[in-house]
mmCIF file of all heavy atoms in Angstrom:
data_model
loop_
_atom_site.group_PDB
_atom_site.id
_atom_site.type_symbol
_atom_site.label_atom_id
_atom_site.label_comp_id
_atom_site.label_asym_id
_atom_site.label_seq_id
_atom_site.Cartn_x
_atom_site.Cartn_y
_atom_site.Cartn_z
ATOM 1 N N THR A 1 -1.452 -1.086 6.391
ATOM 2 C CA THR A 1 -0.068 -1.094 5.937
ATOM 3 C C THR A 1 0.454 -2.519 6.036
ATOM 4 O O THR A 1 0.020 -3.298 6.885
ATOM 5 C CB THR A 1 0.829 -0.160 6.770
ATOM 6 O OG1 THR A 1 0.855 -0.625 8.135
ATOM 7 C CG2 THR A 1 0.330 1.263 6.743
ATOM 8 N N TRP A 2 1.343 -2.833 5.143
ATOM 9 C CA TRP A 2 2.024 -4.127 5.176
ATOM 10 C C TRP A 2 3.526 -3.878 5.252
ATOM 11 O O TRP A 2 4.076 -3.094 4.463
ATOM 12 C CB TRP A 2 1.754 -4.935 3.903
ATOM 13 C CG TRP A 2 0.391 -5.556 3.810
ATOM 14 C CD1 TRP A 2 0.039 -6.830 4.137
ATOM 15 C CD2 TRP A 2 -0.812 -4.926 3.336
ATOM 16 N NE1 TRP A 2 -1.301 -7.043 3.900
ATOM 17 C CE2 TRP A 2 -1.851 -5.885 3.407
ATOM 18 C CE3 TRP A 2 -1.106 -3.645 2.856
ATOM 19 C CZ2 TRP A 2 -3.144 -5.609 3.011
ATOM 20 C CZ3 TRP A 2 -2.398 -3.362 2.478
ATOM 21 C CH2 TRP A 2 -3.410 -4.333 2.559
ATOM 22 N N ILE A 3 4.202 -4.536 6.179
ATOM 23 C CA ILE A 3 5.650 -4.516 6.180
ATOM 24 C C ILE A 3 6.162 -5.459 5.107
ATOM 25 O O ILE A 3 7.102 -5.155 4.391
ATOM 26 C CB ILE A 3 6.221 -4.964 7.544
ATOM 27 C CG1 ILE A 3 5.580 -4.184 8.674
ATOM 28 C CG2 ILE A 3 7.737 -4.766 7.576
ATOM 29 C CD1 ILE A 3 5.928 -4.747 10.020
ATOM 30 N N GLU A 4 5.511 -6.598 5.038
ATOM 31 C CA GLU A 4 5.869 -7.599 4.035
ATOM 32 C C GLU A 4 4.574 -8.028 3.344
ATOM 33 O O GLU A 4 3.776 -8.771 3.920
ATOM 34 C CB GLU A 4 6.552 -8.802 4.680
ATOM 35 C CG GLU A 4 7.883 -8.466 5.333
ATOM 36 C CD GLU A 4 8.483 -9.657 6.076
ATOM 37 O OE1 GLU A 4 7.730 -10.624 6.353
ATOM 38 O OE2 GLU A 4 9.678 -9.615 6.386
ATOM 39 N N ALA A 5 4.347 -7.509 2.151
ATOM 40 C CA ALA A 5 3.123 -7.812 1.412
ATOM 41 C C ALA A 5 3.400 -8.930 0.412
ATOM 42 O O ALA A 5 4.219 -8.748 -0.494
ATOM 43 C CB ALA A 5 2.614 -6.572 0.685
ATOM 44 N N PRO A 6 2.738 -10.080 0.548
ATOM 45 C CA PRO A 6 2.994 -11.179 -0.387
ATOM 46 C C PRO A 6 2.659 -10.824 -1.829
ATOM 47 O O PRO A 6 3.229 -11.404 -2.754
ATOM 48 C CB PRO A 6 2.108 -12.310 0.149
ATOM 49 C CG PRO A 6 1.097 -11.648 1.018
ATOM 50 C CD PRO A 6 1.758 -10.446 1.579
ATOM 51 N N PHE A 7 1.767 -9.866 -2.026
ATOM 52 C CA PHE A 7 1.394 -9.457 -3.381
ATOM 53 C C PHE A 7 2.341 -8.397 -3.945
ATOM 54 O O PHE A 7 2.156 -7.920 -5.048
ATOM 55 C CB PHE A 7 -0.046 -8.927 -3.396
ATOM 56 C CG PHE A 7 -0.328 -7.892 -2.329
ATOM 57 C CD1 PHE A 7 -0.003 -6.558 -2.525
ATOM 58 C CD2 PHE A 7 -0.907 -8.261 -1.130
ATOM 59 C CE1 PHE A 7 -0.243 -5.625 -1.546
ATOM 60 C CE2 PHE A 7 -1.161 -7.323 -0.135
ATOM 61 C CZ PHE A 7 -0.829 -5.999 -0.343
ATOM 62 N N ASN A 8 3.385 -8.012 -3.149
ATOM 63 C CA ASN A 8 4.368 -7.020 -3.617
ATOM 64 C C ASN A 8 5.785 -7.523 -3.340
ATOM 65 O O ASN A 8 6.633 -6.770 -2.875
ATOM 66 C CB ASN A 8 4.127 -5.662 -2.939
ATOM 67 C CG ASN A 8 4.955 -4.540 -3.549
ATOM 68 O OD1 ASN A 8 5.095 -4.453 -4.764
ATOM 69 N ND2 ASN A 8 5.514 -3.684 -2.705
ATOM 70 N N GLU A 9 6.006 -8.798 -3.631
ATOM 71 C CA GLU A 9 7.329 -9.403 -3.460
ATOM 72 C C GLU A 9 7.846 -9.228 -2.045
ATOM 73 O O GLU A 9 9.032 -8.997 -1.815
ATOM 74 C CB GLU A 9 8.320 -8.816 -4.479
ATOM 75 C CG GLU A 9 7.901 -9.048 -5.928
ATOM 76 C CD GLU A 9 8.848 -8.385 -6.919
ATOM 77 O OE1 GLU A 9 9.376 -7.293 -6.597
ATOM 78 O OE2 GLU A 9 9.057 -8.959 -7.989
ATOM 79 N N ASN A 10 6.923 -9.302 -1.060
ATOM 80 C CA ASN A 10 7.242 -9.171 0.360
ATOM 81 C C ASN A 10 7.874 -7.830 0.713
ATOM 82 O O ASN A 10 8.621 -7.711 1.678
ATOM 83 C CB ASN A 10 8.137 -10.317 0.838
ATOM 84 C CG ASN A 10 7.328 -11.549 1.184
ATOM 85 O OD1 ASN A 10 6.127 -11.465 1.467
ATOM 86 N ND2 ASN A 10 7.965 -12.705 1.153
ATOM 87 N N ARG A 11 7.515 -6.818 -0.068
ATOM 88 C CA ARG A 11 7.918 -5.460 0.270
ATOM 89 C C ARG A 11 6.719 -4.706 0.841
ATOM 90 O O ARG A 11 5.583 -5.156 0.768
ATOM 91 C CB ARG A 11 8.489 -4.744 -0.953
ATOM 92 C CG ARG A 11 9.790 -5.362 -1.452
ATOM 93 C CD ARG A 11 10.444 -4.499 -2.522
ATOM 94 N NE ARG A 11 11.734 -5.073 -2.916
ATOM 95 C CZ ARG A 11 11.893 -5.931 -3.900
ATOM 96 N NH1 ARG A 11 10.841 -6.308 -4.630
ATOM 97 N NH2 ARG A 11 13.090 -6.417 -4.170
ATOM 98 N N ALA A 12 6.974 -3.510 1.361
ATOM 99 C CA ALA A 12 5.951 -2.764 2.086
ATOM 100 C C ALA A 12 4.905 -2.166 1.152
ATOM 101 O O ALA A 12 5.188 -1.866 -0.017
ATOM 102 C CB ALA A 12 6.601 -1.658 2.911
ATOM 103 N N VAL A 13 3.700 -1.972 1.695
ATOM 104 C CA VAL A 13 2.583 -1.354 0.970
ATOM 105 C C VAL A 13 1.763 -0.530 1.965
ATOM 106 O O VAL A 13 1.556 -0.940 3.104
ATOM 107 C CB VAL A 13 1.675 -2.410 0.292
ATOM 108 C CG1 VAL A 13 0.437 -1.746 -0.320
ATOM 109 C CG2 VAL A 13 2.439 -3.187 -0.775
ATOM 110 N N TRP A 14 1.328 0.651 1.520
ATOM 111 C CA TRP A 14 0.421 1.504 2.291
ATOM 112 C C TRP A 14 -0.860 1.703 1.478
ATOM 113 O O TRP A 14 -0.786 1.856 0.251
ATOM 114 C CB TRP A 14 1.024 2.889 2.513
ATOM 115 C CG TRP A 14 1.815 3.056 3.760
ATOM 116 C CD1 TRP A 14 1.511 3.822 4.838
ATOM 117 C CD2 TRP A 14 3.085 2.464 4.053
ATOM 118 N NE1 TRP A 14 2.507 3.740 5.785
ATOM 119 C CE2 TRP A 14 3.478 2.906 5.334
ATOM 120 C CE3 TRP A 14 3.928 1.571 3.375
ATOM 121 C CZ2 TRP A 14 4.658 2.509 5.942
ATOM 122 C CZ3 TRP A 14 5.106 1.173 3.975
ATOM 123 C CH2 TRP A 14 5.457 1.642 5.243
ATOM 124 N N GLN A 15 -2.010 1.759 2.155
ATOM 125 C CA GLN A 15 -3.227 2.168 1.455
ATOM 126 C C GLN A 15 -4.000 3.150 2.321
ATOM 127 O O GLN A 15 -4.266 2.908 3.481
ATOM 128 C CB GLN A 15 -4.086 0.968 1.056
ATOM 129 C CG GLN A 15 -4.651 0.152 2.195
ATOM 130 C CD GLN A 15 -5.463 -1.046 1.708
ATOM 131 O OE1 GLN A 15 -5.106 -1.698 0.729
ATOM 132 N NE2 GLN A 15 -6.560 -1.336 2.395
ATOM 133 N N HIS A 16 -4.321 4.317 1.751
ATOM 134 C CA HIS A 16 -5.017 5.407 2.436
ATOM 135 C C HIS A 16 -6.146 5.903 1.552
ATOM 136 O O HIS A 16 -5.959 6.083 0.346
ATOM 137 C CB HIS A 16 -4.077 6.612 2.652
ATOM 138 C CG HIS A 16 -3.120 6.479 3.777
ATOM 139 N ND1 HIS A 16 -3.381 6.976 5.022
ATOM 140 C CD2 HIS A 16 -1.888 5.932 3.839
ATOM 141 C CE1 HIS A 16 -2.336 6.747 5.814
ATOM 142 N NE2 HIS A 16 -1.418 6.118 5.118
ATOM 143 N N LEU A 17 -7.290 6.194 2.146
ATOM 144 C CA LEU A 17 -8.374 6.863 1.436
ATOM 145 C C LEU A 17 -8.214 8.366 1.573
ATOM 146 O O LEU A 17 -7.983 8.889 2.668
ATOM 147 C CB LEU A 17 -9.726 6.424 1.989
ATOM 148 C CG LEU A 17 -10.963 7.083 1.356
ATOM 149 C CD1 LEU A 17 -11.062 6.768 -0.129
ATOM 150 C CD2 LEU A 17 -12.232 6.647 2.091
ATOM 151 N N MET A 18 -8.364 9.086 0.438
ATOM 152 C CA MET A 18 -8.270 10.546 0.440
ATOM 153 C C MET A 18 -9.627 11.139 0.036
ATOM 154 O O MET A 18 -10.649 10.461 0.077
ATOM 155 C CB MET A 18 -7.184 10.995 -0.544
ATOM 156 C CG MET A 18 -5.826 10.395 -0.302
ATOM 157 S SD MET A 18 -4.577 11.016 -1.460
ATOM 158 C CE MET A 18 -5.091 10.266 -2.994
ATOM 159 N N ALA A 19 -9.635 12.390 -0.348
ATOM 160 C CA ALA A 19 -10.861 13.038 -0.818
ATOM 161 C C ALA A 19 -11.239 12.509 -2.195
ATOM 162 O O ALA A 19 -10.433 11.908 -2.907
ATOM 163 C CB ALA A 19 -10.664 14.551 -0.872
ATOM 164 N N ASP A 20 -12.488 12.739 -2.578
ATOM 165 C CA ASP A 20 -13.022 12.382 -3.898
ATOM 166 C C ASP A 20 -13.062 10.872 -4.128
ATOM 167 O O ASP A 20 -13.094 10.410 -5.263
ATOM 168 C CB ASP A 20 -12.212 13.039 -5.033
ATOM 169 C CG ASP A 20 -12.125 14.544 -4.898
ATOM 170 O OD1 ASP A 20 -13.141 15.144 -4.502
ATOM 171 O OD2 ASP A 20 -11.056 15.109 -5.174
ATOM 172 N N GLY A 21 -13.028 10.073 -3.032
ATOM 173 C CA GLY A 21 -13.052 8.628 -3.199
ATOM 174 C C GLY A 21 -11.788 8.068 -3.810
ATOM 175 O O GLY A 21 -11.791 6.951 -4.341
ATOM 176 N N VAL A 22 -10.679 8.812 -3.753
ATOM 177 C CA VAL A 22 -9.404 8.372 -4.325
ATOM 178 C C VAL A 22 -8.567 7.712 -3.231
ATOM 179 O O VAL A 22 -8.410 8.260 -2.143
ATOM 180 C CB VAL A 22 -8.638 9.554 -4.947
ATOM 181 C CG1 VAL A 22 -7.279 9.096 -5.457
ATOM 182 C CG2 VAL A 22 -9.448 10.176 -6.080
ATOM 183 N N TRP A 23 -8.048 6.534 -3.542
ATOM 184 C CA TRP A 23 -7.147 5.832 -2.633
ATOM 185 C C TRP A 23 -5.705 6.057 -3.066
ATOM 186 O O TRP A 23 -5.382 5.971 -4.244
ATOM 187 C CB TRP A 23 -7.435 4.330 -2.623
ATOM 188 C CG TRP A 23 -8.667 3.968 -1.848
ATOM 189 C CD1 TRP A 23 -9.953 4.035 -2.285
ATOM 190 C CD2 TRP A 23 -8.719 3.482 -0.504
ATOM 191 N NE1 TRP A 23 -10.814 3.632 -1.297
ATOM 192 C CE2 TRP A 23 -10.088 3.276 -0.190
ATOM 193 C CE3 TRP A 23 -7.759 3.192 0.458
ATOM 194 C CZ2 TRP A 23 -10.495 2.800 1.050
ATOM 195 C CZ3 TRP A 23 -8.172 2.713 1.704
ATOM 196 C CH2 TRP A 23 -9.526 2.526 1.989
ATOM 197 N N ARG A 24 -4.850 6.324 -2.094
ATOM 198 C CA ARG A 24 -3.409 6.392 -2.329
ATOM 199 C C ARG A 24 -2.841 5.026 -1.953
ATOM 200 O O ARG A 24 -2.932 4.586 -0.805
ATOM 201 C CB ARG A 24 -2.790 7.490 -1.459
ATOM 202 C CG ARG A 24 -1.303 7.328 -1.145
ATOM 203 C CD ARG A 24 -0.402 7.758 -2.271
ATOM 204 N NE ARG A 24 -0.498 9.168 -2.537
ATOM 205 C CZ ARG A 24 0.202 10.107 -1.865
ATOM 206 N NH1 ARG A 24 1.021 9.774 -0.892
ATOM 207 N NH2 ARG A 24 0.069 11.369 -2.191
ATOM 208 N N ILE A 25 -2.241 4.350 -2.921
ATOM 209 C CA ILE A 25 -1.570 3.079 -2.669
ATOM 210 C C ILE A 25 -0.077 3.297 -2.905
ATOM 211 O O ILE A 25 0.328 3.665 -4.008
ATOM 212 C CB ILE A 25 -2.078 1.944 -3.588
ATOM 213 C CG1 ILE A 25 -3.608 1.967 -3.713
ATOM 214 C CG2 ILE A 25 -1.571 0.601 -3.087
ATOM 215 C CD1 ILE A 25 -4.363 1.548 -2.499
ATOM 216 N N ASP A 26 0.732 3.113 -1.882
ATOM 217 C CA ASP A 26 2.186 3.257 -1.981
ATOM 218 C C ASP A 26 2.819 1.867 -1.986
ATOM 219 O O ASP A 26 2.609 1.090 -1.045
ATOM 220 C CB ASP A 26 2.743 4.036 -0.783
ATOM 221 C CG ASP A 26 2.384 5.497 -0.805
ATOM 222 O OD1 ASP A 26 1.187 5.822 -0.798
ATOM 223 O OD2 ASP A 26 3.303 6.315 -0.797
ATOM 224 N N TYR A 27 3.574 1.575 -3.019
ATOM 225 C CA TYR A 27 4.254 0.285 -3.132
ATOM 226 C C TYR A 27 5.758 0.494 -3.011
ATOM 227 O O TYR A 27 6.350 1.282 -3.761
ATOM 228 C CB TYR A 27 3.955 -0.369 -4.480
ATOM 229 C CG TYR A 27 2.509 -0.768 -4.689
ATOM 230 C CD1 TYR A 27 1.648 0.042 -5.425
ATOM 231 C CD2 TYR A 27 2.011 -1.963 -4.169
ATOM 232 C CE1 TYR A 27 0.335 -0.319 -5.640
ATOM 233 C CE2 TYR A 27 0.699 -2.341 -4.382
ATOM 234 C CZ TYR A 27 -0.144 -1.517 -5.111
ATOM 235 O OH TYR A 27 -1.461 -1.879 -5.321
ATOM 236 N N GLN A 28 6.379 -0.238 -2.102
ATOM 237 C CA GLN A 28 7.835 -0.225 -2.023
ATOM 238 C C GLN A 28 8.399 -1.061 -3.173
ATOM 239 O O GLN A 28 7.944 -2.172 -3.431
ATOM 240 C CB GLN A 28 8.294 -0.798 -0.684
ATOM 241 C CG GLN A 28 9.780 -0.637 -0.414
ATOM 242 C CD GLN A 28 10.175 -1.239 0.928
ATOM 243 O OE1 GLN A 28 9.639 -2.274 1.331
ATOM 244 N NE2 GLN A 28 11.096 -0.584 1.623
#
């Protein structure tokens, strides 16, 4: 997780691996 992600205008980002090799990426 990023509180301040430089690649997302210093907003938060989450990355989680789920089933079937699918990643959930949440961008604030």
Side-chain angles (χ1 to χ4, degrees):
T1 63
W2 285 264
I3 309 170
E4 296 175 343
F7 50 83
N8 190 42
E9 300 176 326
N10 277 338
R11 295 189 176 91
V13 174
W14 269 247
Q15 64 182 39
H16 282 265
L17 178 62
M18 304 182 290
D20 305 321
V22 176
W23 284 81
R24 156 79 65 84
I25 317 289
D26 289 60
Y27 294 99
Q28 189 180 37

